[in-house]
Amino acid sequence: MLKISTIESKTRRQLVLEGKLVAPWSAEFRIAGQRAATGLFGRELVIDLKSLTAIDDDGKTVLDELMSRGVRFVHCGLFTRQVLKQLARDAREKETKG
């Protein structure tokens, strides 16, 4: 199960994820991320990953897509931080290989 909450402020829109970022819920998160990215009017899109308990390959793909769009991730636990670092390394390697 994955719960996605939205917090709006003057400077940012924040999506808070709780639970497991695994199929089929990763597809729901992809849709929520796309919707959240529209109508920002200069605000920043931030994803809070503090309460994630699991991430599968589908979830990693969605996180990678959001990273490539410049979305900022906050409140990451140790496991989630390592997943994001690996995704960033993989993206850099793809860029250098061309």
Side-chain angles (χ1 to χ4, degrees), residues 10-66:
K10 291 180 182 180
T11 59
R12 69 184 188 177
R13 176 176 291 155
Q14 181 172 328
L15 296 182
V16 179
L17 304 185
E18 300 175 70
K20 298 178 180 183
L21 185 55
V22 299
W25 299 297
S26 54
E28 290 295 321
F29 175 51
R30 177 179 282 115
I31 293 167
Q34 291 169 346
R35 286 183 185 150
T38 62
L40 290 173
F41 305 108
R43 295 182 295 166
E44 177 182 32
L45 177 58
V46 177
I47 312 292
D48 183 328
L49 303 174
K50 176 176 59 179
S51 297
L52 277 186
T53 58
I55 304 170
D56 71 359
D57 288 338
D58 288 337
K60 290 177 184 178
T61 299
V62 178
L63 292 174
D64 187 45
E65 291 168 4
L66 290 167

Side-chain angles (χ1 to χ4, degrees), residues 49 55 60 63-64 67 73 76-93:
L49 303 174
I55 304 170
K60 290 177 184 178
L63 292 174
D64 187 45
M67 283 178 68
F73 299 97
C76 303
L78 181 61
F79 168 71
T80 306
R81 192 173 17 243
Q82 291 303 318
V83 168
L84 293 173
K85 284 181 181 180
Q86 185 61 49
L87 291 172
R89 277 192 294 267
D90 292 348
R92 282 192 302 272
E93 286 178 14

